[in-house]
Amino acid sequence: MASQNKKLVEIFNQQYQIGSGSVDPDYIRRAADHLDHKMREIADRRHRQVPLEIAILAAMELADEVLQTRSHHAEVLSQVDAKISRFANWLGGSAGGGDQGEGDAGSTEPRF
């Protein structure tokens, strides 16, 4: 087995030895800190301390964050693709005259 980067972390008052062969130990710590913070926020809001319940609610909130981020990422990529296509069409001279300005009315020559 490959050498693992192990880190002792504390999440919601429990210690865990977490390791990965491909992830920096500081990244593991940051991820554990993020989860611990999320769990503590939920416990404070709900005034409950049942670790399994808090962990499931934290997992649901984190899953929601991931899904929203993926959706936003896909939307941004779609907008970028559309802008690249418009720019490529403009460079190719097939933009259709839109806001190219003062060219000859029937000219299909690129502006530059």
Side-chain angles (χ1 to χ4, degrees), residues 20-59:
S20 170
S22 61
V23 177
D24 178 10
D26 287 334
Y27 184 84
I28 293 169
R29 182 193 46 78
R30 287 193 315 268
D33 288 348
H34 184 68
L35 178 57
D36 181 67
H37 179 76
K38 181 67 71 178
M39 289 179 70
R40 290 180 188 286
E41 279 182 349
I42 292 168
D44 288 345
R45 282 196 317 253
R46 297 223 171 220
H47 305 292
R48 302 275 317 253
Q49 295 294 320
V50 180
L52 180 60
E53 181 181 323
I54 300 302
I56 290 170
L57 293 171

Side-chain angles (χ1 to χ4, degrees), residues 3-5 14 18 31 39-40 54-55 57 73 89 92 95 98-99 109 111:
S3 173
Q4 288 198 342
N5 295 314
Q14 295 290 317
I18 299 177
M39 289 179 70
R40 290 180 188 286
I54 300 302
L57 293 171
H73 180 74
N89 287 338
D99 60 351
E109 291 292 315
R111 195 173 163 152

Side-chain angles (χ1 to χ4, degrees), residues 85-86 88-97 100 108 110:
S85 292
R86 285 194 302 272
N89 287 338
W90 179 78
L91 285 176
S94 60
Q100 287 187 1
T108 58

